[in-house]
Amino acid sequence: YGVDLIRNFSIIAHIDHGKSTLADRLLERTGTVEKISGSSSQMLDKLKVERERGITVKAQTVSMLHEHNNKTFLLNLIDTPGHVDFAWEVSRSLAACQGALLLIDATQGVQAQTISVGMLALEKNLTIIPVLNKIDLPAADPDRMAAQIESTFGIGRDEILTASAKTGAGVDEILRAIVDRIPPPSGDPEAELKALLFDSSYDRYRGVISLLSVQSGRIRKGDKILLHHTQKKYDAVDVGVLHPEETPTEMLQAGQVGYLACNMKNSSEAQIGDTIFRVGESNRGPLDGFQPTKAMVFAGIFPIDSNDFPKLEESIKRLTLTDRSVTIQRESSTALGQGCRLGFLGTLHMDVFRQRLEDEYDQQILITNPTVPFKIVYKNGKETIISNPNDFPDPQDFGIGKVQEVHEPMVKATIILPNTYLGGMINLCSNHRAEALDHVYLDTTGDEPRVLMTARLPLAEIVTDFFDKLKKTTSGFASFDYEDVGYQPSDMVKISFLLNGRPIDSLAIIVHRSNSVRVGRIWAKKLREVVPKQLFEVAIQAAVGRTILARETISAMRKDVTAGLYGGHYERKMKVLEKQKAGKKLMKRIGNIDLPQEAFYDILRSN
Ligand code: GDP
Ligand code: MG
């Protein structure tokens, strides 16, 4: 292929605006796949969890052939996920493109992720083709939405296409615009090889399969290649394009996107953002890489039966081969035994990982409350980032102790919502320690003006139930996105929960001092519901250091009581626990108190 016949593009959109549906239509229209029927729709969403939740987790890449003016063009579609947690995937996918279709639902208009992904594409100097989708719907209002696109991105109305990914209307015009407006990749096929490694997956038989975007030169089957980051050498065993299945080719050249198998055994050798050279030609320096991912939410994961830890750890390790944005560390807890502390990009990412562990690896797990990374600043100038509440300094370490202060991660939130809900949303944000609240009007043409609200919020405030509250406050009409804006000093405290004076380590949480009493009371009450009666009285306490915030008491059990000690949703619990051997082995001792593991299961699932 001559480079001038290649177009590398991506579809970017707010979730549910029709990206996967449009990708299906493009694959059909170019004859890449047979007509897609209802059940097998959305070719690019491969994981079960993606289908169930209708989200894209892992970016996929596919090549299509398209006839235009008697020439055959090679169109490489690089899919991107649609959720804030996966912004990093969006960024690396865009690095392999020259253009992007910015898809906007003509009934919904510009939403929070429309802005974040659109701005990312503008920053990378991509050609943007705005497409108003779902014009088959009676509620579509393309004129009004075109005005929003114009005011948000400064794109002229004459550049905006309209389409229905459902009926296929406008898809030919989209294909024409891809060919006409997006520039071909630049890069000299005669120059030395430089390729960007932008994704990888693991194949049991062939080892690591890398996705690459060739920036200059050619890579052929049989070439001896060198990875810049590790300085390791490999033989290119197989190269090819994704059509949409892997299709071997003799070579990939400048401008092309494809896959590479090179007998790489360990996924950690395929560093995302690395540069691939031919052996002996690496003297011209690597390409600009990517920012490494940063875990923003941490949680401990423990097996329900501690004997299952080796199996759980093995499953986690295998799953992280397909999702290397997850960080792993071992963790041991007196209450829950041996486990792993995992770091995720956000709470949805954490949920998706948990669900994949359950679906694909059949693991039954306990997951602790999520925590964000806090920075501890010491008086001697040293700083550490902690990802486990148990590492939080004690109250006596502050003041005359060696800790100067604690910093917490902050985000800039963008919320788009109908004007009616603005007051409620301002309240909600204020209750979550928001600063610098501001808003502007996106359009004033409709009968219900749309507002773009921004605020600075502690990340810790949005990893719990903020999304649910936001949905309720705005009847589901708001969209939300956020970006990391660094750390700031904050008055955080660690709440410990004690049973007759002994702390339950895996339940400790870090909260802002102003929330500590409220949170302490809620959790002490929850604990009272799940801790079974003992032969003696049990005191449940929530404490910050030596200060008790809340106390609940469980009276001693009477001698004649033998059954019905433990209420709750018994059937559901038994179902989850059915694999477990009965009884004793699942009991945990905290001091002199026997606690069934299912008590932890209940309390940790109850929020
Ligand atoms: P994604 O989250 O951006 O990948 O969105 P999907 O492609 O999964 O589409 C979200 C929903 O909108 C699905 O129920 C689609 O069937 C529907 N949808 C997508 N495009 C159109 C369209 O042009 N018209 C109509 N009526 N529905 C559409
Ligand atoms: Mg999708």
Side-chain angles (χ1 to χ4, degrees):
Y1 269 91
V3 172
D4 55 330
L5 294 176
I6 298 176
R7 300 292 181 273
N8 296 320
F9 73 103
S10 169
I11 309 176
I12 54 179
H14 188 77
I15 193 151
D16 280 346
H17 283 201
K19 209 173 51 194
S20 303
T21 312
L22 179 63
D24 284 355
R25 288 295 88 69
L26 293 174
L27 292 178
E28 264 176 26
R29 199 59 64 92
T30 55
T32 313
V33 297
E34 303 273 294
K35 210 162 173 54
I36 296 163
S37 63
S39 63
S40 66
S41 74
Q42 309 200 341
M43 292 290 295
L44 297 183
D45 294 346
K46 285 185 186 157
L47 301 171
K48 181 176 169 224
V49 40
E50 293 183 332
R51 297 222 162 162
E52 278 178 12
R53 298 185 176 222
I55 53 168
T56 306
V57 174
K58 237 181 131 39
Q60 307 282 344
T61 301
V62 53
S63 303
M64 301 173 265
L65 297 176
H66 176 57
E67 298 282 338
H68 185 67
N69 289 345
N70 295 323
K71 284 187 243 167
T72 306
F73 288 83
L74 178 69
L75 311 183
N76 296 313
L77 164 59
I78 294 151
D79 193 25
T80 57
H83 191 274
V84 282
D85 281 7
F86 307 103
W88 176 71
E89 292 246 351
V90 179
S91 174
R92 72 184 193 190
S93 306
L94 293 184
C97 299
Q98 286 73 46
L101 301 178
L102 178 63
L103 201 61
I104 293 148
D105 184 328
T107 69
Q108 304 285 317
V110 170
Q111 298 290 324
Q113 274 98 45
T114 315
I115 296 184
S116 57
V117 291
M119 291 303 173
L120 214 53
L122 282 178
E123 274 167 30
K124 293 192 187 287
N125 282 321
L126 301 192
T127 299
I128 293 183
I129 303 173
V131 179
L132 283 168
N133 187 34
K134 308 199 187 182
I135 49 157
D136 60 293
L137 292 175
D141 190 352
D143 285 339
R144 180 180 172 199
M145 303 320 173
Q148 290 185 1
I149 295 172
E150 201 170 11
S151 74
T152 317
F153 296 101
I155 296 175
R157 281 187 197 215
D158 51 333
E159 292 179 39
I160 301 172
L161 303 180
T162 52
S164 165
K166 188 173 174 191
T167 66
V171 172
D172 289 330
E173 288 73 16
I174 293 175
L175 282 166
R176 190 169 317 135
I178 292 169
V179 168
D180 288 344
R181 296 194 207 168
I182 298 175
S186 51
D188 180 2
E190 307 304 328
E192 292 172 347
L193 171 67
K194 265 191 195 186
L196 176 73
L197 193 165
F198 69 94
D199 198 1
S200 74
S201 58
Y202 192 80
D203 180 295
R204 209 185 304 176
Y205 304 104
R206 297 180 300 161
V208 178
I209 308 293
S210 303
L211 290 190
L212 38 107
S213 150
V214 183
Q215 310 272 318
S216 68
R218 298 186 172 95
I219 181 166
R220 287 193 177 80
K221 200 170 142 174
D223 278 352
K224 298 224 176 299
I225 55 165
L226 171 82
L227 259 71
H228 174 74
H229 185 78
T230 56
Q231 289 292 309
K232 285 197 175 170
K233 293 172 186 162
Y234 306 88
D235 290 323
V237 177
D238 185 15
V239 297
V241 294
L242 298 143
H243 195 40
E245 304 307 324
E246 286 174 10
T247 310
T249 54
E250 272 309 303
M251 62 160 183
L252 291 171
Q253 65 173 6
Q256 281 192 305
V257 170
Y259 71 91
L260 160 75
C262 60
N263 278 334
M264 188 187 287
K265 292 283 176 287
N266 192 336
S267 290
S268 62
E269 294 166 39
Q271 189 85 18
I272 305 303
D274 203 357
T275 305
I276 299 171
F277 295 109
R278 203 185 316 281
V279 169
E281 291 182 357
S282 62
N283 46 359
R284 289 193 314 165
L287 301 161
D288 285 344
F290 294 86
Q291 298 282 334
T293 50
K294 214 160 50 171
M296 301 293 268
V297 176
F298 293 85
I301 294 194
F302 296 87
I304 286 186
D305 180 339
S306 2
N307 294 327
D308 289 340
F309 177 71
K311 259 200 289 179
L312 174 63
E313 191 182 35
E314 174 63 26
S315 306
I316 290 174
K317 284 198 168 142
R318 280 213 256 150
L319 192 48
T320 51
L321 291 181
T322 67
D323 182 357
R324 250 132 3 88
S325 47
V326 177
T327 64
I328 331 178
Q329 256 179 305
R330 275 207 176 179
E331 171 177 4
S332 61
S333 147
T334 45
L336 299 179
Q338 188 65 244
C340 292
R341 180 141 289 253
L342 303 190
F344 302 98
L345 305 175
T347 45
L348 178 73
H349 186 212
M350 178 172 87
D351 272 3
V352 166
F353 193 88
R354 197 205 67 224
Q355 195 179 340
R356 291 186 67 190
L357 261 182
E358 291 175 351
D359 287 354
E360 296 168 33
Y361 292 89
D362 205 19
Q363 292 293 318
Q364 304 293 332
I365 57 167
L366 287 170
I367 182 157
T368 66
N369 281 314
T371 185
V372 302
F374 291 97
K375 190 198 276 177
I376 312 296
V377 180
Y378 295 91
K379 286 179 182 154
N380 65 7
K382 289 216 171 90
E383 297 177 351
T384 54
I385 302 276
I386 60 160
S387 58
N388 189 333
N390 291 313
D391 300 331
F392 196 81
D394 293 323
Q396 64 265 28
D397 295 329
F398 293 84
I400 56 163
K402 51 189 188 309
V403 175
Q404 178 73 35
E405 55 192 9
V406 176
H407 293 208
E408 70 173 328
M410 301 295 290
V411 298
K412 183 187 165 205
T414 304
I415 302 150
I416 293 182
L417 73 170
N419 191 40
T420 332
Y421 304 109
L422 182 61
M425 202 54 222
I426 289 175
N427 265 337
L428 177 64
C429 287
S430 305
N431 290 339
H432 284 273
R433 301 194 279 130
E435 301 165 4
L437 278 166
D438 199 2
H439 69 271
V440 294
Y441 286 88
L442 262 189
D443 74 47
T444 44
T445 53
D447 30 292
E448 176 68 280
R450 293 205 148 251
V451 184
L452 189 158
M453 206 179 136
T454 52
R456 208 177 139 84
L457 280 160
L459 178 64
E461 293 290 330
I462 59 174
V463 300
T464 49
D465 53 357
F466 188 76
F467 289 99
D468 294 334
K469 287 186 189 160
L470 178 140
K471 261 196 226 147
K472 260 198 208 127
T473 307
T474 61
S475 307
F477 286 116
S479 63
F480 175 78
D481 201 358
Y482 62 86
E483 59 181 309
D484 176 19
V485 290
Y487 280 92
Q488 82 178 30
S490 188
D491 191 9
M492 307 305 293
V493 295
K494 176 173 84 172
I495 307 182
S496 305
F497 294 93
L498 315 167
L499 290 185
N500 283 354
R502 296 290 189 105
I504 316 172
D505 58 355
S506 43
L507 293 187
I509 34 185
I510 300 171
V511 299
H512 192 258
R513 193 181 299 277
S514 62
N515 290 333
S516 58
V517 172
R518 185 176 54 83
V519 173
R521 281 193 186 139
I522 293 172
W523 281 84
K525 281 216 169 64
K526 283 188 186 178
L527 264 170
R528 194 185 60 188
E529 314 233 302
V530 301
V531 174
K533 286 194 175 207
Q534 311 280 322
L535 290 164
F536 41 84
E537 187 177 279
V538 177
I540 296 168
Q541 291 169 309
V544 171
R546 293 206 180 87
T547 311
I548 306 299
L549 306 173
R551 179 190 162 112
E552 296 284 337
T553 308
I554 299 176
S555 55
M557 110 170 87
R558 293 203 317 272
K559 289 245 161 51
D560 57 328
V561 177
T562 53
L565 298 178
Y566 188 63
H569 315 281
Y570 201 68
E571 235 166 76
R572 175 174 60 82
K573 267 172 340 219
M574 285 321 286
K575 210 172 146 214
V576 174
L577 298 169
E578 67 196 354
K579 291 216 176 122
Q580 311 301 325
K581 321 276 169 302
K584 291 257 154 55
K585 170 164 105 182
L586 293 178
M587 286 291 185
K588 289 278 153 49
R589 285 212 89 140
I590 308 286
N592 57 352
I593 295 161
D594 285 323
L595 214 53
Q597 190 84 325
E598 55 185 342
F600 289 104
Y601 184 83
D602 277 4
I603 195 161
L604 291 172
R605 289 260 160 145
S606 68
N607 46 322

